[in-house]
Amino acid sequence: MNSNSRTSRRRRKRRSYALLILAGGLLLFGIAASTLYLYLQPTILRIAVGPPNSDDQKLVQTLAQIFARERSSIRITPITTAGSVESIALLAAGKTDLAVARGDLGLPANAESVIILRKNVVVLWAPAGLPAKGTKRQPVPKVKSITELAGRRIGVVGRTEANVKLLRVILSESGVNVDNIAVTQFATNQIAEMARDTTLDAYMTVGPLESKITRDAISATAASRGEPKFLPIEVSEAIAKKHQLYESEEIPASIFSSSPARPDEKVDTVSVNHLIIAPRTLSDTKVGAFARQVFNVRQQLARELPNAPKIEKPDTDKDAALPAHEGAAAYFDGNERTFLEKYTDYIWGIILVLSGLGSVGAWLRHYWKGDEREQYETHRDNLLELISRVREADSLDHLTAMQSQADEMLREALYCYEDGTIEEGDLSAMGLALRQFHDAAADRRTALGSGAPDMLRMRAM
């Protein structure tokens, strides 16, 4: 009864071990499956852009639609704002992952460039005046260069303070006392009002060369006050060197109109980048994947959005005024690392940890089974002692009792082997000792007058 009880307990114990191993395997499988599922899920990036219905917002919305349609690994969720200032504020507060903004708008210290959407160029012009009635003779403009703007009034399209700041930089570098300049700002929907204001001596816009706002402003002022005289910024290269956020550019001839030609020749000017920015803390992998996807769909973007700007890569030099995000720079410079290159150290670390855990598990297993090992050694020593005692047995009943003890020792040895407590060599040693016991028992039976059938049965066992 006791033997059956021990056998039942051992079987339950082995069954528990098997269930524990199965549960551990299922747990590891679940973790691996969950990790794979999360890895295959697209990454969603929030991007702040504004104002509503602007070209920037249309561009971002079109990109979001293309990414979703192509089932890209990166998806974007537009956050509509009142303009670049609010977009930058959201980025600084950590409420968005990306933002569309002008490069000279007081960006956060940790902001870095990802993609240049367009270059906003400065266009400065002065009205020449309408010809007198009855004559075709074109009047001579009062202002022919930037240096002649001293003491004048200038109308600036756009309410952002960055436009006024840029104008003051241009005037100051051109040798004009900015304190004697009067600046009036007009919203983009006040162009007609600006064109009717006869107190203004010059006008300024900041935007892409293909901007409808700039074209409309030039056309409106030409209709109200005569053909424009475009004012070149002759110190554009000096400005670009002193103020790294600005670049030297040229306005091509006839870019705004071919008949009449506006301008009639190329004009030097300065530009500022309008770009997508991201915080330095945003994952390099996410930023690199986003930049790659944008550049991969440029042709498709141009087909779906005819007025889409020419997207460019940012300056990846370390000393750039607005450095490129490391993820974007790695993509543009061809230095992106593969999955194995990124995570090789982690993989080897996991392997070493698992190896260490395996060694610890083996030691714990050996420690936990120490009692069973000692029990086996005790049974082995008892069996050896039993061999010497069997030769001194004085009756067949005594031999039968010893045989039962030997059978129990063998059973315990087999259990230890099944549990992994002892190895095959230990079991072989136990078998050799048991064979010696059987031989000694058979000899003793013969000596006690036992019959041949009993002896044969003992040898068969």
Side-chain angles (χ1 to χ4, degrees):
M1 186 68 177
N2 292 336
S3 176
N4 292 336
S5 177
R6 287 196 299 271
T7 301
S8 178
R9 285 198 301 270
R10 287 180 179 275
R11 287 176 178 173
R12 287 198 301 268
K13 186 176 181 181
R14 286 197 295 270
R15 190 179 299 114
S16 299
Y17 284 152
L19 291 175
L20 182 61
I21 293 173
L22 178 61
L26 291 175
L27 177 61
L28 292 176
F29 176 78
I31 293 174
S34 300
T35 302
L36 181 62
Y37 175 78
L38 293 176
Y39 178 78
L40 294 177
Q41 290 299 300
T43 300
I44 299 177
L45 298 178
R46 300 163 298 172
I47 179 168
V49 59
N53 300 318
S54 63
D55 292 340
D56 289 339
Q57 188 189 42
K58 294 176 183 177
L59 172 67
V60 170
Q61 288 177 338
T62 304
L63 280 175
Q65 293 170 1
I66 294 175
F67 287 176
R69 189 167 59 247
E70 297 292 329
R71 300 184 180 276
S72 302
S73 61
I74 298 289
R75 310 287 176 86
I76 55 177
T77 300
I79 300 176
T80 303
T81 65
S84 293
V85 175
E86 184 180 351
S87 299
I88 293 171
L90 290 179
L91 186 75
K95 297 180 179 180
T96 184
D97 304 303
L98 305 167
V100 178
R102 238 171 77 168
D104 60 344
L105 279 179
L107 305 180
N110 69 336
E112 296 180 333
S113 59
V114 179
I115 290 174
I116 297 176
L117 295 180
R118 64 174 182 269
K119 292 183 179 296
N120 290 333
V121 299
V122 175
V123 182
L124 273 168
W125 73 96
L130 295 173
K133 290 184 179 181
T135 179
K136 295 183 180 180
R137 187 175 182 179
Q138 293 295 328
V140 178
K142 296 179 181 179
V143 178
K144 300 178 182 179
S145 66
I146 290 180
T147 57
E148 295 178 3
L149 289 174
R152 305 282 185 173
R153 295 186 70 244
I154 302 175
V156 177
V157 178
R159 292 291 189 181
T160 175
E161 187 62 28
N163 285 350
V164 177
K165 178 183 177 181
L166 178 52
L167 174 62
R168 293 182 180 276
V169 169
I170 294 171
L171 295 175
S172 178
E173 294 296 334
S174 300
V176 178
N177 185 356
V178 296
D179 295 332
N180 295 330
I181 301 295
V183 177
T184 303
Q185 290 182 269
F186 296 87
T188 55
N189 58 358
Q190 294 179 311
I191 291 177
E193 179 182 341
M194 182 185 72
R196 290 193 300 268
D197 190 341
T198 58
T199 65
L200 297 176
D201 301 299
Y203 310 96
M204 172 183 167
T205 63
V206 182
L209 288 174
E210 63 276 6
S211 170
K212 184 177 183 299
I213 295 174
T214 300
R215 291 173 183 269
D216 290 347
I218 294 173
S219 298
T221 57
S224 299
R225 304 190 58 193
E227 279 298 307
K229 169 60 181 177
F230 292 92
L231 307 178
I233 304 175
E234 297 177 353
V235 293
S236 60
E237 293 186 1
I239 292 175
K241 290 181 180 179
K242 291 183 180 180
H243 306 271
Q244 293 186 339
L245 291 175
Y246 304 129
E247 299 178 6
S248 176
E249 295 288 340
E250 286 186 350
I251 300 175
S254 303
I255 188 67
F256 303 120
S257 173
S258 58
S259 180
R262 296 174 182 165
D264 55 0
E265 60 182 1
K266 66 179 182 179
V267 179
D268 293 329
T269 187
V270 295
S271 68
V272 59
N273 289 331
H274 200 84
L275 66 172
I276 296 178
I277 57 176
R280 186 179 303 114
T281 53
L282 188 59
S283 166
D284 294 354
T285 302
K286 294 179 181 179
V287 174
F290 171 75
R292 184 189 312 108
Q293 286 182 190
V294 172
F295 270 73
N296 287 343
V297 302
R298 282 185 299 175
Q299 294 182 353
Q300 189 172 352
L301 180 65
R303 289 194 299 268
E304 299 188 20
L305 198 66
N307 295 327
K310 183 181 179 182
I311 296 174
E312 301 178 17
K313 68 176 185 178
D315 188 354
T316 57
D317 291 341
K318 297 295 184 180
D319 58 349
L322 184 61
H325 193 283
E326 288 190 5
Y331 165 65
F332 293 124
D333 292 342
N335 296 326
E336 281 187 299
R337 295 187 298 169
T338 63
F339 178 85
L340 289 178
E341 290 173 337
K342 290 179 181 178
Y343 300 108
T344 295
D345 293 340
Y346 295 102
I347 293 173
W348 280 113
I350 291 173
I351 292 175
L352 291 176
V353 169
L354 291 177
S355 176
L357 290 176
S359 299
V360 172
W363 181 85
L364 290 174
R365 181 171 176 271
H366 179 76
Y367 176 77
W368 288 333
K369 293 182 179 296
D371 293 340
E372 294 186 21
R373 176 75 186 183
E374 291 179 1
Q375 187 178 12
Y376 157 76
E377 292 175 353
T378 300
H379 288 318
R380 183 194 60 193
D381 295 340
N382 290 340
L383 182 59
L384 294 175
E385 183 181 351
L386 201 63
I387 293 173
S388 61
R389 287 169 49 197
V390 76
R391 293 188 175 91
E392 300 174 359
D394 54 6
S395 67
L396 294 178
D397 292 339
H398 195 187
L399 282 176
T400 301
M402 290 183 181
Q403 181 68 57
S404 298
Q405 293 180 30
D407 291 342
E408 181 64 24
M409 294 175 188
L410 175 61
R411 184 182 297 108
E412 293 293 335
L414 290 174
Y415 287 152
C416 289
Y417 178 72
E418 291 177 359
D419 291 342
T421 305
I422 62 175
E423 297 179 358
E424 187 173 353
D426 297 318
L427 188 63
S428 299
M430 193 72 175
L432 179 62
L434 189 63
R435 189 176 300 110
Q436 290 293 329
F437 171 79
H438 287 161
D439 291 342
D443 293 341
R444 189 57 182 166
R445 282 180 182 277
T446 303
L448 293 175
S450 176
D454 289 337
M455 183 180 67
L456 293 175
R457 181 178 62 82
M458 288 293 294
R459 291 186 179 278
M461 292 178 63

